[in-house]
Amino acid sequence: MSKLEKELKKGKTSNEYSAESIQVLEGLEAVRKRPAMYIGDVSSKGLHHLVYEVIDNSIDESLAGHCDHIEVIINENNSIIVKDNGRGIPVDFHEKEQRSALEVVMTVLHAGGKFNKDSYKVSGGLHGVGVSCVNALSSHLKAFVHRNGKIYTQEYQQGKPLFDVKVIGETDHTGTEIIFQPDQSIFAVTEFSFEVLSSRLRELAYLNKGIKLELTDLRELEENGNGGEYPKEVFYSENGLIEFVELLDQTRDKLIEKPIYIETVKNETPVEIALKYNTSFSENIHSYVNNINTIEGGTHLAGFRRGLTRTLKAYADKSGMLAKLKFDINGDDFREGLTAIISVKVAEPQFEGQTKTKLGNTEVMGSVDQAVSNMLGHYLEENPKDAKTIVQKVILAAQARHAARKARELVQRKNVLSGSGLPGKLADCSNQDPGVSEIFLVEGDSAGGTAKQGRAREFQAILPLRGKILNVEKAMPHKIFDNEEIKNIFTALGVTVGTEEDSKALNLEKLRYHKVIIMTDADVDGSHISTLIMTFFYRHMEELINRGHLYIATPPLYLIKKGKQQRYCWTEEQRLQAIEEMGQGKEGNVGIQRYKGLGEMNAEQLWETTMNPEQRTLRQVTIESAAEADRIFSMLMGDDVPPRREFIEKHAKYANIDA
Ligand code: 0RA
């Protein structure tokens, strides 16, 4: 029993110490009762959030200039170690709190900052809840602090100290090490994903140059021919955002040789920006506030756009290149082929929007605007050749936008003219309520036919797509609206794109189905087609993904049969288990049928396995990290073959079974 609990048992509530102890317990209890309020949710996302929360404290320590190495270890039992070489959490005894500062930091909500006023604390997870929340949500946590030549430690159960902070040895360095085991009674998922953690650490390394971040997975040995070693990745970026933007654009053809880089402090707000132009037609701007990806944008993004447009426009006007232009140029034109990362550190960020990833602080707009204007203004003056190339690209973009608008208007006008306006190939559902309606985008006319027979006509619509749809990553914007399959998707969904002010604005108000389901064959071609379709949605209807409308159907890979018994299997594991269970002690042969195409199933089978809401599994498409998605899409869909092959070999889930 901890001292805290003993005190409480004795009912010593009159003195100050016990009153505080009770507050602490109440604070931690509140976190355990409503974990979602503090860390978002208790799914895999919330689980990983615990690690980010601890790492953020170490990142703060490095932003204060005291730490340049952070190690993360996934232990065999899915507990996590985060270790840094900072100053170490203070351990001195606090008269007012009547206990060690370490204990206060670990057990009092939002206490971290109290001891660290001098440092510029800006990092902190989306919820900025502090390490005490992680402690409250861990069945067991240990803290080790190297400081003053000594090693201090304290352990906790569900956030409650098991003993007072004690010294267990001597040391010649400083730093903090935290080991925690997420509480299984709270989290629905307790297994950490190496990929998820490594993506985040990679991102953090680019966003915080000069810090070495290491991730090791002690759960399984990787075969390497000499006994095997643990999966491990080390992330370090000397040049931060410059390298980040080059990575994002590595598969695109560059327009200017080197990224344009800005690092400054405006009105006490640190602003860091790297940007590049490439020959593509897409805009890829990723923005961060205190290391958090602000997918909904906000004032920093608005300031960036304003500064970029004004500065480039002023240069273009002055250079006389726009003199003979017969049409207007707008903000979009300045961002075609632009890849940029914007990272600001804001002392008291106000997050708004549906997912709380939109920066609201109005003062930041001016800071970023000024930073971009100053820096880009100088750059254009000093690099006239690059400046000219960029302005020429902007003019081309404006030309293409006009062509695209004509094509789009033609499509949208035609729809209005031709009665229902729905594509001839669409087998619509009878229901009119988008909330319960689904549309399956099906690869190929023949599978489309089967799906039409198998569906629940009441709420399921089928749109067959012929072969591979256009690769939007490579096509000019106006070509997109020439493509029959893409026009069909737009009109079937009832979604329009483009307004007078913003050629990419999406109008989802008339979306006719709240579930849009991509259904392709369970083989390499099928997954290529679903990637093409996802790329299309990512580039042209991102909002539809963000609002959770896009799904992928999962047809089974095998049918295992024996006599009258039959079982569908989606994984190799299920297949082996089915064979074992069905084969056991009984007569007759077990038959195994590998499904590669939707066409190999009849209508009833397709309904049962893949379309029936009662039984099917849909995978929802989310944009976990827009930057990562962007990199993957451009790599998979671009021209550069080697990185694509490498990625497919690493991730292809069909690679083995088709071989
Ligand atoms: C409070 C004050 C100081 C450092 C820290 C907290 C601190 C917290 C964590 C969490 C993980 N690693 C950490 N490293 C440091 C400043 C202490 C001083 O002034 O020396």
Side-chain angles (χ1 to χ4, degrees):
M1 197 183 297
S2 76
K3 182 166 146 197
L4 218 62
E5 284 173 308
K6 273 187 211 148
E7 296 273 324
L8 287 170
K9 268 245 161 89
K10 281 191 221 149
K12 265 177 64 181
T13 51
S14 54
N15 76 31
E16 204 190 343
Y17 173 48
S18 294
E20 289 212 3
S21 312
I22 289 171
Q23 272 183 3
V24 168
L25 274 190
E26 279 174 352
L28 297 182
E29 248 343 281
V31 177
R32 291 179 59 80
K33 263 199 192 124
R34 294 197 178 71
M37 265 188 54
Y38 297 85
I39 55 159
D41 61 41
V42 290
S43 69
S44 174
K45 214 170 175 172
L47 181 78
H48 289 83
H49 197 91
L50 298 180
V51 187
Y52 306 155
E53 199 62 50
V54 181
I55 298 174
D56 279 342
N57 287 283
S58 304
I59 297 267
D60 276 340
E61 196 52 13
S62 66
L63 290 179
H66 302 287
C67 160
D68 62 5
H69 189 186
I70 303 171
E71 279 178 79
V72 179
I73 297 166
I74 312 172
N75 288 315
E76 226 173 333
N77 61 356
N78 273 290
S79 67
I80 294 281
I81 302 178
V82 178
K83 188 174 168 184
D84 69 43
N85 65 348
R87 287 168 295 181
I89 300 179
V91 288
D92 40 321
F93 191 79
H94 263 252
E95 288 304 324
K96 188 176 157 274
E97 301 274 355
Q98 281 297 301
R99 53 211 151 120
S100 157
L102 172 62
E103 182 173 325
V104 177
V105 168
M106 296 308 299
T107 59
V108 178
L109 293 184
H110 305 289
K114 271 216 287 220
F115 297 90
N116 211 357
K117 285 204 192 74
D118 57 325
S119 94
Y120 189 49
K121 181 179 166 65
V122 286
S123 92
L126 198 44
H127 307 270
V129 288
V131 69
S132 60
C133 271
V134 177
N135 196 11
L137 299 175
S138 296
S139 53
H140 199 182
L141 184 146
K142 286 187 210 181
F144 297 95
V145 172
H146 291 240
R147 206 179 152 104
N148 318 323
K150 298 196 181 78
I151 306 170
Y152 302 82
T153 192
Q154 190 170 37
E155 291 183 32
Y156 317 81
Q157 253 169 23
Q158 302 186 332
K160 288 170 273 187
L162 295 178
F163 49 80
D164 287 345
V165 172
K166 66 183 178 192
V167 174
I168 54 165
E170 298 194 342
T171 180
D172 60 357
H173 61 273
T174 63
T176 304
E177 178 175 349
I178 288 175
I179 309 182
F180 67 97
Q181 175 90 64
D183 196 327
Q184 296 206 4
S185 66
I186 288 181
F187 289 93
V189 180
T190 50
E191 197 173 320
F192 285 100
S193 154
F194 186 80
E195 300 271 311
V196 168
L197 291 177
S198 70
S199 291
R200 177 60 182 156
L201 292 184
R202 178 183 300 113
E203 192 178 36
L204 282 172
Y206 287 121
L207 291 168
N208 304 280
K209 60 185 169 195
I211 309 181
K212 186 158 117 183
L213 294 140
E214 285 184 41
L215 176 65
T216 310
D217 189 347
L218 300 184
R219 290 172 303 183
E220 57 189 309
L221 283 173
E222 253 176 12
E223 263 325 308
N224 67 346
N226 57 16
E229 53 189 49
Y230 295 110
K232 175 171 180 152
E233 294 215 53
V234 181
F235 304 103
Y236 173 83
S237 175
E238 176 125 27
N239 297 308
L241 297 193
I242 296 180
E243 286 165 35
F244 198 175
V245 86
E246 284 190 323
L247 174 81
L248 289 179
D249 253 7
Q250 79 184 352
T251 60
R252 299 187 180 110
D253 293 330
K254 55 178 173 254
L255 204 63
I256 54 175
E257 194 53 39
K258 282 190 185 142
I260 301 174
Y261 181 65
I262 304 158
E263 186 183 22
T264 180
V265 179
K266 286 273 181 256
N267 315 320
E268 289 165 48
T269 303
V271 178
E272 197 183 349
I273 300 170
L275 61 94
K276 274 193 92 165
Y277 275 94
N278 59 62
T279 60
S280 88
F281 308 101
S282 47
E283 166 188 334
N284 298 292
I285 305 180
H286 304 285
S287 66
Y288 293 84
V289 174
N290 303 348
N291 292 330
I292 297 160
N293 189 193
T294 36
I295 21 183
E296 294 176 279
T299 50
H300 54 326
L301 183 61
F304 171 77
R305 290 181 163 188
R306 208 165 69 178
L308 182 90
T309 303
R310 188 172 11 76
T311 312
L312 280 173
K313 180 81 167 43
Y315 182 89
D317 278 334
K318 208 177 81 184
S319 71
M321 290 172 74
L322 305 182
K324 287 193 206 122
L325 225 57
K326 291 198 183 63
F327 40 76
D328 66 302
I329 289 199
N330 74 16
D332 283 350
D333 303 329
F334 290 95
R335 298 190 298 271
E336 211 183 86
L338 172 69
T339 301
I341 322 261
I342 303 156
S343 171
V344 294
K345 303 270 158 72
V346 181
E348 282 179 44
Q350 304 291 320
F351 289 111
E352 305 168 348
Q354 277 205 327
T355 53
K356 291 268 176 265
T357 57
K358 181 175 182 181
L359 185 69
N361 306 50
T362 46
E363 72 281 7
V364 177
M365 191 174 324
S367 308
V368 181
D369 183 342
Q370 279 177 36
V372 177
S373 303
N374 292 351
M375 172 59 208
L376 192 60
H378 283 130
Y379 182 89
L380 296 173
E381 293 300 336
E382 284 159 22
N383 300 273
K385 209 172 128 225
D386 285 356
K388 201 171 157 201
T389 310
I390 294 171
V391 175
Q392 273 165 349
K393 164 91 177 163
V394 172
I395 295 173
L396 277 177
Q399 266 165 353
R401 180 168 53 83
H402 282 260
R405 193 171 78 190
K406 280 198 195 128
R408 191 173 65 232
E409 283 172 354
L410 206 62
V411 172
Q412 288 172 1
R413 193 155 351 111
K414 255 195 209 147
N415 293 337
V416 177
L417 291 178
S418 62
S420 83
L422 294 172
K425 287 212 281 176
L426 174 74
D428 205 6
C429 51
S430 52
N431 191 308
Q432 300 273 342
D433 176 4
V436 298
S437 301
E438 310 179 336
I439 183 169
F440 286 83
L441 307 178
V442 187
E443 165 190 0
D445 286 333
S446 101
T450 316
K452 276 182 202 174
Q453 286 171 17
R455 69 177 170 149
R457 176 185 296 268
E458 160 75 11
F459 64 93
Q460 292 182 321
I462 309 293
L463 181 66
L465 300 174
R466 196 178 324 119
K468 300 200 172 175
I469 74 163
L470 179 75
N471 181 349
V472 296
E473 188 67 24
K474 289 191 201 157
M476 291 271 284
H478 62 278
K479 286 279 180 234
I480 288 162
F481 291 92
D482 289 345
N483 182 274
E484 207 57 42
E485 310 299 323
I486 285 177
K487 276 194 280 192
N488 283 345
I489 295 178
F490 269 106
T491 49
L493 296 187
V495 170
T496 55
V497 62
T499 60
E500 206 48 56
E501 303 86 61
D502 182 353
S503 68
K504 285 177 192 127
L506 196 63
N507 184 352
L508 290 179
E509 251 164 59
K510 301 215 171 92
L511 180 65
R512 302 178 61 248
Y513 316 91
H514 281 189
K515 285 205 170 79
V516 177
I517 304 167
I518 301 170
M519 188 159 78
T520 61
D521 289 345
D523 63 6
V524 174
D525 271 353
S527 70
H528 188 196
I529 289 166
S530 78
T531 307
L532 278 170
I533 304 176
M534 275 194 285
T535 307
F536 163 70
F537 279 102
Y538 176 67
R539 295 284 182 216
H540 296 275
M541 293 198 210
E542 189 180 337
E543 193 56 24
L544 187 129
I545 303 180
N546 286 334
R547 297 211 183 166
H549 294 306
L550 190 63
Y551 296 84
I552 295 178
T554 50
L557 295 177
Y558 304 100
L559 175 61
I560 315 292
K561 273 189 184 160
K562 183 176 175 185
K564 277 193 184 142
Q565 270 188 43
Q566 55 177 39
R567 238 158 92 176
Y568 296 101
C569 300
W570 278 260
T571 63
E572 197 61 17
E573 245 167 42
Q574 288 176 350
R575 181 181 76 101
L576 294 173
Q577 196 179 353
I579 294 171
E580 187 173 320
E581 286 174 17
M582 291 168 75
Q584 254 164 23
K586 289 170 211 149
E587 301 294 301
N589 285 333
V590 178
I592 303 167
Q593 188 184 345
R594 160 81 171 102
Y595 285 135
K596 283 191 185 175
L598 300 169
E600 294 173 33
M601 283 183 271
N602 63 33
E604 196 188 329
Q605 289 170 323
L606 190 59
W607 162 254
E608 254 178 66
T609 59
T610 316
M611 298 176 74
N612 180 357
E614 307 269 304
Q615 292 166 44
R616 72 186 178 196
T617 308
L618 291 184
R619 285 182 291 155
Q620 189 170 40
V621 179
T622 60
I623 301 193
E624 276 294 342
S625 162
E628 182 80 356
D630 172 42
R631 192 175 65 84
I632 291 170
F633 276 124
S634 61
M635 181 173 73
L636 289 177
M637 295 296 134
D639 293 317
D640 214 4
V641 174
R644 170 161 73 227
R645 178 170 312 136
E646 195 183 308
F647 179 87
I648 291 174
E649 278 168 5
K650 195 163 163 201
H651 292 87
K653 60 180 157 131
Y654 305 113
N656 314 333
I657 36 187
D658 283 343

